[in-house]
Amino acid sequence: MREQTANHYVLGIDSGGTKYLVRAAALDGTVLAEYIAPGCSHYFYSFEETTRRIEANLAECLARFGGKPQNCRAIVCGTTGYDSPEDGEILRQLYESCKGFCCPVLCMNDVELAFRIACGDTGVIILAGTGSICFGKNAAGESLRVGGWPVAIFGDEGSGRYMDALALRHFSRWMDGCRPDSALIDRIREKTGITTRKELMDYGMRMAAAEQETPGLGAVISEEAEAGDPYARDILTEAAKCLYDLTREVIRKLGMDQTGDLPVGVWGSVLMRSRIVREELFRLLQAEYPDVRLSIPRKDAAQGAVEIALEHVSRNL
């Protein structure tokens, strides 16, 4: 058995809106290598281009430890863009099209992967990174997912993209002469390179395109809010209110407001990096649900995917 499994490994993948992280681990759990690349959602690229990008990412990871595709025992991918059974079929075909791999592949929405890591069997997870989405499962095994719709139809509320749009709206009002000069305005201008109305209009049009351009202003907004900028703080509290609304809808629909202990996991760069968003979300939840407790995961999504892959291999040895 040792000789047969010595070179075997599993792959855990966190495929987000802006980042694709693949991690390889030996069957004893030892991390062998990882590789980070830009996101490659099938919503933004053709099937052929998405396959090419995934293959290239996997190959880069394998090259770092001399892995061979045929020695992979399982692939688990938590991904944005898994929003329907049709998406599931596309994702399955994408990974099965990768040359050399012949192992089982399990794809799931990234919020479901986050739920398994942060909550286990029951509770609610609110994810806010590039996008936003909420997922819950009650003691009866009933589950519900809310949100995850595009910004173009006012979805992804409370997410990084949502905050980018709010920050640029504030910047547009400054250009209209309705907002004062501030450090936040200076930093938006520095981050985006926008100095004219035409440049802002063009930037907004690119953000509305299929492969959205985003300025990634989350850190700037958080830092200026901590420094006392009222507009930056308003953006963060608005994001927290949006995330609270998503969470409350899942809690109510699943009847979890009638129970005592209520675990709510938080996930994604917006919630993990912004103290103000996290604390405001908790304040709103606790005001309505006194028994709520926030669960902050101690591992990342790729590691959670690795562990699920290892469990699958263990069950099938």
Side-chain angles (χ1 to χ4, degrees):
M1 178 67 70
R2 183 174 300 170
E3 291 181 356
Q4 293 176 342
T5 62
N7 298 318
H8 289 175
Y9 63 91
V10 298
L11 295 177
I13 299 168
D14 174 17
S15 178
T18 55
K19 181 186 74 175
Y20 186 100
L21 191 161
V22 53
R23 182 173 296 149
L27 299 191
D28 64 359
T30 302
V31 174
L32 300 172
E34 70 177 36
Y35 178 69
I36 301 176
C40 56
S41 170
H42 66 280
Y43 277 112
F44 295 157
Y45 304 103
S46 67
F47 184 93
E48 293 74 16
E49 178 62 14
T50 307
T51 302
R52 186 193 69 77
R53 288 172 178 253
I54 291 173
E55 282 185 336
N57 293 342
L58 300 188
E60 286 285 352
C61 182
L62 267 57
R64 298 184 176 203
F65 69 100
K68 297 180 180 179
Q70 61 268 29
N71 287 338
C72 186
R73 297 293 303 277
I75 297 174
V76 173
C77 177
T79 179
T80 185
Y82 194 146
D83 300 314
S84 67
E86 292 86 351
D87 288 316
E89 179 62 19
I90 291 170
L91 288 160
R92 182 189 64 80
Q93 292 177 9
L94 283 168
Y95 281 92
E96 289 184 354
S97 298
C98 291
K99 297 181 180 64
F101 291 90
C102 54
C103 60
V105 176
L106 173 61
C107 293
M108 64 187 73
N109 188 283
D110 51 357
V111 75
E112 294 186 48
L113 175 59
F115 177 82
R116 294 192 189 196
I117 297 169
C119 301
D121 296 324
T122 61
V124 179
I125 184 83
I126 179 70
L127 186 157
T130 304
S132 67
I133 193 169
C134 190
F135 177 85
K137 183 182 291 185
N138 62 22
E142 300 169 315
S143 63
L144 178 70
R145 198 191 93 174
V146 171
W149 299 100
V151 173
I153 57 172
F154 304 106
D156 272 347
E157 50 269 53
S159 69
R161 280 199 183 105
Y162 190 87
M163 293 197 305
D164 282 345
L166 288 177
L168 291 178
R169 184 173 69 179
H170 171 62
F171 189 64
S172 74
R173 292 294 180 266
W174 172 80
M175 284 193 162
D176 290 337
C178 301
R179 297 289 187 272
D181 289 329
S182 66
L184 177 61
I185 293 295
D186 291 341
R187 296 193 66 187
I188 292 173
R189 188 165 44 203
E190 178 184 352
K191 179 78 172 178
T192 62
I194 296 171
T195 59
T196 68
R197 298 179 70 90
K198 173 60 174 170
E199 288 171 347
L200 179 56
M201 184 66 72
D202 289 343
Y203 199 99
M205 296 305 292
R206 292 198 300 273
M207 285 180 68
E211 186 182 355
Q212 293 185 357
E213 178 172 346
T214 56
L217 293 167
V220 168
I221 297 166
S222 293
E223 289 166 12
E224 293 307 319
E226 294 283 2
D229 186 292
Y231 295 103
R233 190 173 185 92
D234 284 349
I235 290 172
L236 297 185
T237 54
E238 169 67 13
K241 174 62 165 56
C242 291
L243 299 175
Y244 162 72
D245 287 341
L246 290 175
T247 307
R248 182 175 57 175
E249 287 173 344
V250 170
I251 291 171
R252 288 181 173 179
K253 188 68 175 180
L254 291 176
M256 299 177 77
D257 51 342
Q258 306 300 317
T259 62
D261 183 50
L262 181 56
V264 174
V266 293
W267 195 272
S269 57
V270 170
L271 282 162
M272 300 306 288
R273 296 176 186 172
S274 174
R275 177 190 63 83
I276 293 173
V277 175
R278 193 169 58 249
E279 290 182 356
E280 179 64 9
L281 171 64
F282 184 57
R283 185 190 70 78
L284 291 168
L285 286 170
Q286 197 169 46
E288 187 164 358
Y289 310 109
D291 294 320
V292 71
R293 57 181 174 87
L294 288 190
S295 173
I296 300 177
R298 300 184 182 276
K299 65 185 76 170
D300 64 16
Q303 189 59 32
V306 162
E307 292 178 7
I308 294 171
L310 291 172
E311 289 171 7
H312 173 84
V313 173
S314 178
R315 287 195 303 268
N316 292 277
L317 283 177

